[in-house]
Amino acid sequence: QVQLVQSGAEVKKPGASVKVSCKASGDTFSEYYINWVRQAPGQGLEWMGRINPNSGDTNYPQKFQGRVTMSRDTFITTTYMELRGLTSDDTAVYYCAKTLRGDYLDDAFGIWGQGTMVTVSS
Amino acid sequence: SYVVTQPPSVSVAPGQTATITCGGNNIGRKSVHWNQQKPGQAPVLVVYDDDDRPSGIPERFSGSNSGNTATLTISRVEAGDEADYYCQVYTSETDHVGFGGGTKLTVL
């Protein structure tokens, strides 16, 4: 069964960076996009971008451009999301999510990771 | 950016039908997906491509999409359906994914 397992909770100071990992198992790693979505406490879901694990191509919304980098290591079927210049507004649960059927841009997110809590506090 | 709008809350008695809407300009031309999120848990896909269900999702969950409104319908609502529901759409013009603000379903 396909699973996405994320790294553990992080506590960071303002201005620092955080790098969250997402390991995929049970399926062909390169055939599905991995998206990253975050959720601030008591708030809704916010899309942060996507990576094509096959090519390494990424796409980020303007809000995060210049501050986020998504990467992958195909040998260990793991994708990463690094966010720099953290502020208290970045305190959130960060999820990775795999497309349902393959490398379709408008595809649903069929499998979600368990989430990683990132707390930014001085 | 493309904006999708959901009602903040919907309440329904057990056994009744819950209807959750997702509004957007000509949303009927897009594929809409619905995610269910229970407190403290990751979201779970319950409907994709407007009206398809992933394996393991009960037939009580159904969807439709036309004009400016997509709809998630939950028939014979159970206490376990109480959750936040988020619609999700992709915009080809920007190559971006967007979520509605979420609807909290309360089972009375």
Side-chain angles (χ1 to χ4, degrees):
Chain A
Q1 184 175 354
V2 178
Q3 277 191 313
L4 297 176
V5 179
Q6 300 183 220
S7 50
E10 303 262 14
V11 179
K12 296 292 183 181
K13 293 194 180 301
S17 300
V18 67
K19 191 171 186 177
V20 180
S21 68
C22 171
K23 180 172 176 59
S25 62
D27 207 332
T28 305
F29 174 68
S30 297
E31 295 183 358
Y32 301 82
Y33 290 137
I34 296 292
N35 291 263
W36 287 87
V37 176
R38 75 177 184 179
Q39 186 173 37
Q43 303 301 308
L45 303 175
E46 182 177 31
W47 183 69
M48 298 182 67
R50 110 170 52 88
I51 183 168
N52 179 335
N54 185 40
S55 65
D57 289 344
T58 56
N59 185 16
Y60 313 127
Q62 187 172 6
K63 175 177 180 176
F64 295 105
Q65 285 181 8
R67 209 159 69 91
V68 71
T69 300
M70 296 175 188
S71 58
R72 91 293 193 207
D73 185 332
T74 56
F75 293 104
I76 58 172
T77 62
T78 298
T79 58
Y80 303 91
M81 186 285 299
E82 181 181 30
L83 189 61
R84 300 176 291 278
L86 293 170
T87 71
S88 57
D89 290 341
D90 295 315
T91 293
V93 177
Y94 290 75
Y95 295 101
C96 59
K98 181 180 82 70
T99 47
L100 179 65
R101 289 158 292 187
D103 56 352
Y104 303 106
L105 295 171
D106 63 348
D107 203 0
F109 299 166
I111 299 291
W112 295 69
Q114 84 276 20
T116 297
M117 181 71 212
V118 175
T119 302
V120 183
S121 174
S122 55
Chain B
S1 63
Y2 186 79
V3 177
V4 288
T5 304
Q6 296 183 237
S9 62
V10 168
S11 299
V12 65
Q16 299 303 303
T17 297
T19 300
I20 299 173
T21 59
C22 177
N25 187 38
N26 289 320
I27 197 171
R29 298 181 181 180
K30 300 179 182 296
S31 287
V32 177
H33 317 302
W34 291 92
N35 299 280
Q36 174 196 69
Q37 186 181 34
K38 297 181 179 179
Q41 298 184 20
V44 172
L45 180 68
V46 292
V47 167
Y48 67 97
D49 287 357
D50 301 336
D51 56 8
D52 281 328
R53 279 185 313 278
S55 61
I57 300 300
E59 291 183 6
R60 300 185 298 103
F61 288 82
S62 63
S64 63
N65 186 14
S66 178
N68 294 320
T69 304
T71 302
L72 173 69
T73 302
I74 310 171
S75 304
R76 303 181 299 282
V77 166
E78 303 173 356
D81 298 331
E82 193 162 276
D84 293 325
Y85 291 85
Y86 294 90
C87 62
Q88 175 189 334
V89 297
Y90 169 79
T91 303
S92 58
E93 291 82 354
T94 57
D95 189 20
H96 288 168
V97 172
F99 292 96
T103 298
K104 180 176 181 59
L105 175 66
T106 299
V107 181
L108 301 171

